[in-house]
Amino acid sequence: MNGFLAILQRDLRLALRQGADSVMVVAFFIVTTTLFPFGVGPEANILARIASGVIWVSALLAAMLSLERVFQTDYEDGTLELLTLSPVSLELLVLGKVLAHWLTTGLPLIIAAPLMAVMLNMDQNGFVTLMIAMLLGTPALSLIGAIGAALILGARRGGVLVSLLVLPLYIPVLIFGAGAVEAALLGISATAQLQIMGAILLITLAATPFATAHAVRQAME
Amino acid sequence: MANFSGSDLTCLRGERLVFGGVSFAAQSGDAIMLRGRNGAGKSSLLRVMAGLLSPRSGQICWDDENIADDRIAHQARLQYLGHQDAVKPVLSVRDNLRLWGQLRGVKNLEQEIDTALDVLDIHHLSRVSGRYLSSGQKRRTALARILIGQSDLWLLDEPTVGLDRESCGEVSRMIADFRSSGGIVIYSTHIDLEVDNPVILDLDKFAIPMVEWLMEHSEFDDLGPDPAQEAAQ
């Protein structure tokens, strides 16, 4: 457990010292969301109708943008090699790194999401559900994304490759995330969708650290 | 008395056979120096010993137990120094070292860091962030890392790269101290590092042609029964 906290602490410290990364993710999220009113026109009804989908897709892309740096710099400077060789299980270390990634990218996105919802004229009924859905969905995005980030280690043009690997796996989160908000807006209970999102989170939490650690070991060969 | 040995190790990188049939044995206090041309597999052998690479054949044992059976135990006893220094540019030297101590669960960590910094003569740099270090100073930071915490085995890949002549003497002293306390050191180097009678393992001797090795080990047997033979039966 000490190893988990040590790596979490170090990654958070690194992220704070190089604050640009987190800011960039949020900025990207805001800019992408802002593009939609320009594209589909300023009609308030239409914007309100597509708001939940737009926010989710933008959040997905923003989360993906930051994936590359989860392992890449550690891989390049030899840190990952030493982490693999440290007497702490690699799965635990991977989980620590993913949690640090979520705290520095997922959490800021959740905070920015309601602002974007206001801009897109989304009905107030949906706000709480949107936040809860993102609270359940974004950690799953980080967990799934870590597999892709580990798989592309050593590949050229990894950034493009990671999106091809990861985006299809994000689809379930997108469907139920947007569906939950949609339900709330219609005044129906969103419990079913949120429960499924909780289930997705639990499954990814249990399964992805092993897959990611395995991919990291593979990259060390 | 600990015992570290490997038998009949073969390393395959991509399509290339790097070395075949390497065996070695070391006991507490021993040092093994790896020699060989560029590409002879010195680094690969060190990575195999660390458990980063799996050998194509053969096994490595610590006290007669295969290291592949209990990776964490092996990782707890070894310190590995690779080509890269793993020094983060935005963290200070002390913060850089702290992570590795924490991962090893070292008690009295700050004290141990101080001692290690003193040994490598970089105590005055402890608050300097990694990006302002020269390559020699980064190498010293990496060397300080292997002094932190308990270990029984050092695997050093070119430990003196980027160091000046005086610091090479410090590395020699570190190795001598570690050996006198019962540690095993396995290292590769291009310069004459002063180490008391190391066992020399010349990897050039183990560079065997791929075809020969395949014939010897009849690798094709692994691919399942020969269809021609089955037909004959």
Side-chain angles (χ1 to χ4, degrees):
Chain A
M1 207 57 200
N2 283 332
F4 175 79
L5 292 176
I7 194 76
L8 175 65
Q9 193 188 358
R10 191 214 59 157
D11 268 24
L12 286 178
R13 190 178 289 176
L14 280 179
L16 286 179
R17 300 261 167 99
Q18 320 168 301
D21 285 330
S22 294
V23 176
M24 215 127 77
V25 169
V26 177
F28 180 87
F29 174 63
I30 293 172
V31 170
T32 339
T33 323
T34 316
L35 286 179
F36 280 88
F38 291 115
V40 298
E43 182 90 39
N45 290 338
I46 297 175
L47 287 179
R49 174 72 194 80
I50 62 170
S52 67
V54 167
I55 289 173
W56 267 104
V57 171
S58 307
L60 237 64
L61 294 175
M64 201 198 60
L65 190 73
S66 61
L67 280 178
E68 213 185 339
R69 75 151 207 270
V70 181
F71 296 115
Q72 193 68 34
T73 49
D74 279 351
Y75 175 72
E76 281 164 4
D77 68 12
T79 306
L80 202 55
E81 202 169 76
L82 295 175
L83 289 177
T84 315
L85 285 179
S86 72
V88 180
S89 95
L90 190 57
E91 287 78 9
L92 207 59
L93 293 178
V94 162
L95 210 54
K97 286 187 81 66
V98 171
L99 181 57
H101 175 259
W102 179 73
L103 287 173
T104 52
T105 59
L107 212 52
L109 284 183
I110 296 174
I111 295 164
L115 299 176
M116 294 300 102
V118 171
M119 187 188 77
L120 294 172
N121 193 32
M122 187 163 135
D123 197 88
Q124 282 178 16
N125 302 337
F127 282 22
V128 177
T129 315
L130 175 68
M131 302 268 288
I132 297 173
M134 286 192 82
L135 210 53
L136 291 169
T138 47
L141 298 183
S142 291
L143 284 162
I144 297 168
I147 303 178
L151 280 172
I152 56 144
L153 289 175
R156 273 173 302 139
R157 300 212 152 259
V160 185
L161 199 57
V162 78
S163 49
L164 289 177
L165 283 172
V166 161
L167 278 181
L169 298 175
Y170 279 178
I171 292 174
V173 177
L174 174 63
I175 291 173
F176 292 105
V181 182
E182 211 62 10
L185 288 175
L186 291 171
I188 324 166
S189 158
T191 320
Q193 283 91 337
L194 291 178
Q195 278 172 343
I196 290 176
M197 292 195 75
I200 293 174
L201 175 58
L202 289 178
I203 290 169
T204 51
L205 190 62
T208 59
F210 295 97
T212 311
H214 193 78
V216 169
R217 284 202 193 92
Q218 199 67 43
M220 292 296 118
E221 294 250 324
Chain B
M1 199 77 164
N3 180 353
F4 185 54
S5 64
S7 55
D8 194 28
L9 294 167
T10 302
C11 176
L12 209 58
R13 301 291 276 158
E15 300 279 290
R16 202 171 70 88
L17 189 66
V18 185
F19 54 74
V22 175
S23 297
F24 69 90
Q27 290 195 323
S28 296
D30 284 354
I32 298 181
M33 176 178 153
L34 304 181
R35 227 170 36 188
R37 284 170 291 118
N38 288 339
K42 301 186 289 291
S43 297
S44 298
L45 182 55
L46 285 169
R47 291 172 75 87
V48 168
M49 288 173 178
L52 276 174
L53 263 179
S54 322
R56 184 68 185 81
S57 73
Q59 56 177 353
I60 298 184
C61 297
W62 181 272
D63 284 342
D64 301 321
E65 275 193 38
N66 196 336
I67 60 162
D69 293 341
D70 191 350
R71 290 250 178 248
I72 297 287
H74 187 59
Q75 288 165 5
R77 71 173 78 98
L78 81 86
Q79 286 279 17
Y80 172 82
L81 180 76
H83 287 289
Q84 290 156 315
D85 299 325
V87 174
K88 287 282 167 199
V90 290
L91 297 182
S92 71
V93 169
R94 181 177 287 273
D95 287 343
N96 265 299
L97 293 176
R98 190 176 291 127
L99 171 73
W100 305 115
Q102 285 171 335
L103 289 181
R104 295 184 86 84
V106 176
K107 300 197 174 71
N108 300 330
L109 181 54
E110 299 305 317
Q111 257 174 306
E112 290 229 12
I113 294 177
D114 281 329
T115 321
L117 291 173
D118 281 333
V119 171
L120 270 305
D121 197 19
I122 45 172
H123 209 289
H124 58 290
L125 298 172
S126 73
R127 285 169 188 277
V128 178
S129 51
R131 77 164 70 100
Y132 301 118
L133 298 180
S134 74
S135 62
Q137 289 167 334
K138 275 187 197 156
R139 199 62 177 165
R140 283 165 186 240
T141 309
L143 281 162
R145 189 195 77 228
I146 64 173
L147 288 173
I148 295 171
Q150 274 291 317
S151 58
D152 303 311
L153 172 66
W154 282 2
L155 302 171
L156 312 178
D157 200 351
E158 304 270 357
T160 53
V161 165
L163 292 183
D164 52 34
R165 193 179 285 270
E166 289 155 37
S167 325
C168 294
E170 278 160 24
V171 175
S172 301
R173 259 190 313 256
M174 273 171 61
I175 292 179
D177 284 348
F178 183 61
R179 285 173 71 187
S180 64
S181 67
I184 300 173
V185 180
I186 300 174
Y187 65 101
S188 69
T189 180
H190 278 304
I191 64 149
D192 286 325
L193 194 62
E194 279 177 43
V195 175
D196 273 343
N197 52 29
V199 179
I200 291 173
L201 188 63
D202 192 345
L203 286 173
D204 286 338
K205 290 187 195 142
F206 298 98
I208 52 171
M210 187 79 169
V211 182
E212 222 171 89
W213 184 80
L214 282 176
M215 304 246 286
E216 223 173 81
H217 284 73
S218 53
E219 274 289 291
F220 299 113
D221 289 355
D222 294 354
L223 302 176
D226 188 0
Q229 268 182 3
E230 267 186 13
Q233 283 169 7

